[in-house]
Structure formats: C-alpha cells, structure tokens
Amino acid sequence: MVAEEGFTDGERTQVRQIAADLAQVDGTQLNPGATDAEISEFERSNGVVLPVSFRSWLEISDGGRLFFPEGIELYGVVHPPLLELDDPYTPEDGWLVVGMMPDTDLVLVSLTGEATVVYNREGGTFDDAVRYGDFLAFLEDALRQWSD
C-alpha cells in the first residue's frame, strides 16, 4: 500500500526508525515534528514543493542538532533555525539549504527531485562523493559515520 505523498508505509517506518536511532546518539536533539499544515504553508508561501523524503523527515523532526557539539544542525519550518528559500548561502536555484555541517559545508536538498548533497561552501563546489539519492540516505550515512 502506498501512503500519502508517494512514500510507502515501509519508507515511513524507515523514517521513524532513523529518528529513533539518531535520538539514541549522544549530542542529538531532535525537535518535534511539524504538522502537515505547517509544512504545506511553508511550501505554499514559498511557491515550492519539498522533496518527499525531506518532507517526511520534517513530520518526524522539524530540525534539530545531530551529534553536537561538533555535529550537524538541521533547519525546520517551525523551529529555528528556519528554512529560508532566499538563504544567501544557496549556491544556485533549484536547491534549498536544510542544514550545516561542522565545517560550515551546507546540506542541500533539490527542489526538482529527491537528491541531497553536501555543498563545499569554501570551494564553491558540489562533491559527487557526498551526493545522496534522498534525504534519508543522507541521514543514514551521517548516523553510520558519527556513531562509529
């Protein structure tokens, strides 16, 4: 059976499991999830459609801190720091800054697909080595790297 927004029930279970695994790691603080109405209002007021995997994550955790003090800060639609479509650090159209890595590299999601990338802000480059098929793959990789 396919759940709303094109995500299967299994994928929704995967999102909840990732959040539960992250919550067990020291230095992780996940904000409560945003409601469907809050996420829809962000999309409507900004004229965008968020990637399904990122939208699904926002329903579980509307931003937060992963692996702090040296970890990743994720942005939300309700809880600061807030997502901003006109973020001055966005490298080009079609991307949304959704977080910051400890070295100030940016976590971006595509506004035209499901891709998630880590953008080297200092070098001004997209690194293919840190390109993921969707936001959940990014979270799984971060969990694997930071919890070892």
Side-chain angles (χ1 to χ4, degrees):
M1 177 177 160
V2 177
E4 67 187 47
E5 299 297 326
F7 241 37
T8 65
D9 291 337
E11 289 164 325
R12 288 204 180 280
T13 299
Q14 179 187 9
V15 174
R16 287 189 291 278
Q17 185 61 55
I18 291 169
D21 292 347
L22 285 168
Q24 299 302 311
V25 178
D26 287 341
T28 294
Q29 178 184 2
L30 301 177
N31 293 332
T35 66
D36 182 61
E38 291 166 333
I39 298 167
S40 294
E41 174 58 24
F42 173 85
E43 291 176 318
R44 186 198 60 72
S45 64
N46 288 285
V48 299
V49 176
L50 296 173
V52 174
S53 61
F54 182 65
R55 191 180 210 290
S56 184
W57 173 254
L58 290 174
E59 293 172 0
I60 301 295
S61 175
D62 183 51
R65 294 180 168 176
L66 311 179
F67 325 114
F68 260 63
E70 294 130 6
I72 304 166
E73 183 162 41
L74 296 176
Y75 308 155
V77 295
V78 178
H79 298 89
L82 297 175
L83 294 169
E84 296 180 51
L85 204 61
D86 59 351
D87 187 311
Y89 296 116
T90 304
E92 58 189 59
D93 288 341
W95 294 96
L96 176 66
V97 177
V98 299
M100 185 173 292
M101 304 293 284
D103 56 5
T104 72
D105 285 352
L106 304 173
V107 180
L108 309 173
V109 296
S110 172
L111 293 173
T112 60
E114 282 294 318
T116 297
V117 299
V118 176
Y119 177 75
N120 180 324
R121 201 168 83 177
E122 187 176 303
T125 59
F126 289 91
D127 184 348
D128 286 337
V130 283
R131 184 176 293 265
Y132 303 91
D134 64 21
F135 190 71
L136 302 183
F138 162 75
L139 289 173
E140 287 177 323
D141 189 51
L143 180 61
R144 192 171 29 259
Q145 288 183 33
W146 287 81
S147 60
D148 284 343

